[in-house]
Amino acid sequence: MPNDISPVTTSAAYPTALYVHVPFCLHHCGYCDFTLVANRDHLIPEYLRMLEKEFAHRQNGLPQPLNVDTIFIGGGTPTHLSPRDLQSLFDVIHRWFVLNDGGEFSIEANPDGLCDERLTVLRDNGINRLSLGVQSFDDTVLKTLERKHTAAEASQTIQRAATFIPNVSVDLIFGVPGQTLESWQQTLSDLLQLPVRHISTYGLTYEQGTPFFRRANAGSLKRLPDDLEAQMYRAGMATLETAGFEHYEVSNFALPGFQCRHNNVYWDADEYFAFGPGAARYIGGVRSTNCRSVVKWLNSWKVDQPCEEDREELSPEDKAREAIMLSMRRMQGLHIPSFEKRFQVSLHALAGDAIVEHLRDGLLEQSGDFLRLTDSGLLIADSVVCDFL
Ligand code: SF4
């Protein structure tokens, strides 16, 4: 692992997107493999001090503060921080970055603990998009997922939060053991009664190393059949599109004008800053990821050493392949002439074999200048897009 990473030195232009990772949660849900710690709140003050160090180190030599178009504070559960610690977090960010007029400033939150005092701190510090991890409006499903809120609490929180920050996004999970198609449809219809402008729907995954992975392998957690999960995904598309939400990415739906601009930076294969444990950045053609261990990240910065686990300088071909993979996740697909102009390469010379194979199998389709996933391709999007790497 490199320990002598120099500060960011980009040439003329800088990324205009910023990600900050806050790795604290009330409880570690059994399916989650994000970078986080639960029941370690005594580390929060140290985290804030080390975050300041990381900003100071990485931004050394760059204009201060630097203007960006989007900021995304993710986790973990950023709103697990107390109102006072949240204010300290914003103070750190605002010292180094300033949001351009009309910019998007998102934060992830959970319904539990999202009190008026916290919402006031968020609003007063410029947050204009709230991404809530609700997951379901079925209490049995919430219990299986080990979530700490009830459906009723989630509904009340969304309504209250929208009075502070009107642009609310909600995450839902389908394919949960024991969940029925009816329960999923009821969750969708309950959500559509609430003031939300953006919805993400994710199929439950069993990530290696998680309690859910072990329980599924041991047979104490029964995975839903693939065809039921596919039915749920299709039901989500049909219901949300009928309700006026545009399906703009494999897992994401938005009312007109409310796509997540920060995530669009990722899907456009554009560059972005990132700070905090486990945070991944893309700057100057280099992708690098901070240590996922929160304690390792803290200890490293305590002795003024950056803590990275992966670092890769992308070749022109790598960049082009990544761009295909990322843009294919969007419903509009890949605009072939723009791609070829940007990367100075012929799409078919680079990825002709994979394209021909997936067109033949009905997983991709070409419509005019766009190449995109078909309905069948969407169901196995991850494996299709990976073939372009
Ligand atoms: S609250 Fe969210 S980030 Fe925290 S453990 Fe649960 S799923 Fe993961």
Side-chain angles (χ1 to χ4, degrees):
M1 181 189 62
N3 262 345
D4 57 343
I5 297 152
S6 42
V8 172
T9 47
T10 50
S11 49
Y14 310 110
T16 55
L18 162 67
Y19 176 78
V20 180
H21 192 79
V22 182
F24 297 97
C25 285
L26 175 64
H27 162 80
H28 198 149
C29 310
Y31 62 91
C32 180
D33 81 331
F34 295 152
T35 297
L36 67 100
V37 285
N39 297 314
R40 308 285 294 275
D41 293 0
H42 61 284
L43 296 176
I44 293 173
E46 196 168 289
Y47 159 79
L48 291 167
R49 284 197 301 276
M50 297 309 120
L51 191 67
E52 174 87 56
K53 276 196 179 187
E54 184 173 23
F55 273 90
H57 176 89
R58 294 191 185 279
Q59 298 308 102
N60 183 19
L62 296 185
Q64 182 190 354
L66 204 57
N67 283 63
V68 286
D69 290 328
T70 67
I71 305 176
F72 195 106
I73 305 176
T77 310
T79 54
H80 182 64
L81 269 53
S82 67
R84 180 200 286 221
D85 288 334
L86 273 173
Q87 186 56 58
S88 301
L89 173 70
F90 285 117
D91 291 344
V92 173
I93 294 171
H94 291 318
R95 260 196 288 286
W96 299 95
F97 288 92
V98 60
L99 191 68
N100 285 326
D101 284 347
E104 179 189 90
F105 197 171
S106 303
I107 192 165
E108 289 182 333
N110 276 334
D112 48 276
L114 195 57
C115 59
D116 286 0
E117 205 183 343
R118 282 187 173 90
L119 284 163
T120 303
V121 175
L122 303 187
R123 183 193 58 199
D124 291 353
N125 280 279
I127 290 289
N128 55 25
R129 184 174 181 276
L130 188 66
S131 175
L132 275 172
V134 170
Q135 318 312 357
S136 176
F137 287 97
D138 180 328
D139 284 335
T140 308
V141 171
L142 287 171
K143 209 164 170 197
T144 305
L145 290 172
E146 303 176 6
R147 304 294 300 194
K148 294 296 169 198
H149 60 268
T150 63
E153 284 162 356
S155 297
Q156 286 156 13
T157 304
I158 291 170
Q159 296 185 64
R160 193 165 42 81
T163 66
F164 287 81
I165 300 160
N167 186 4
V168 175
S169 173
V170 162
D171 284 2
L172 296 177
I173 295 183
F174 60 89
V176 179
Q179 188 182 30
T180 61
L181 184 58
E182 292 68 34
S183 153
W184 172 238
Q185 280 170 324
Q186 189 60 50
T187 278
L188 293 165
S189 101
D190 289 348
L191 179 57
L192 290 172
Q193 307 306 311
L194 294 164
V196 295
R197 297 179 177 177
H198 185 281
I199 299 169
S200 304
T201 67
Y202 300 106
L204 180 67
T205 54
Y206 297 80
E207 303 296 338
Q208 206 162 359
T210 61
F212 268 38
F213 181 83
R214 289 190 289 277
R215 287 173 60 197
N217 282 352
S220 68
L221 208 54
K222 201 163 176 305
R223 293 179 192 237
L224 285 198
D226 287 349
D227 58 344
L228 178 53
E229 207 170 307
Q231 269 181 288
M232 289 178 173
Y233 181 60
R234 286 203 183 93
M237 287 194 279
T239 306
L240 298 179
E241 282 170 2
T242 304
F245 284 78
E246 180 199 3
H247 187 192
Y248 72 101
E249 194 268 350
V250 174
S251 306
N252 287 282
F253 303 81
L255 290 180
F258 291 98
Q259 292 189 12
C260 178
R261 288 167 54 189
H262 184 83
N263 286 343
N264 276 334
V265 169
Y266 302 147
W267 298 317
D268 281 339
D270 285 338
E271 301 199 339
Y272 47 93
F273 295 105
F275 300 86
R281 66 187 60 75
Y282 182 33
I283 303 171
V286 177
R287 286 199 182 276
S288 61
T289 308
N290 285 351
C291 305
R292 280 177 59 98
S293 159
V294 177
V295 171
K296 205 167 156 189
W297 180 88
L298 287 171
N299 287 341
S300 198
W301 280 110
K302 268 194 241 168
V303 292
D304 298 310
Q305 287 295 324
C307 189
E308 291 186 356
E309 280 176 355
D310 298 305
R311 188 174 181 81
E312 188 189 6
E313 183 158 358
L314 302 189
S315 67
E317 181 177 332
D318 294 336
K319 288 180 192 169
R321 288 187 180 281
E322 278 201 354
I324 303 174
M325 183 191 83
L326 292 164
S327 62
M328 211 69 93
R329 296 191 62 85
R330 301 164 105 171
M331 301 305 290
Q332 69 176 28
L334 176 77
H335 186 245
I336 300 168
S338 309
F339 169 85
E340 295 189 333
K341 187 166 175 224
R342 177 176 173 187
F343 295 99
Q344 293 293 300
V345 65
S346 144
L347 176 64
H348 280 270
L350 189 67
D353 290 350
I355 292 171
V356 168
E357 182 190 329
H358 292 317
L359 284 170
R360 188 194 57 217
D361 294 344
L363 301 172
L364 286 181
E365 65 187 5
Q366 185 163 352
S367 166
D369 286 337
F370 286 90
L371 184 69
R372 60 171 157 253
L373 293 165
T374 60
D375 280 357
S376 309
L378 276 174
L379 294 171
I380 51 166
D382 288 344
S383 69
V384 176
V385 300
C386 273
D387 283 349
F388 293 104
L389 272 187

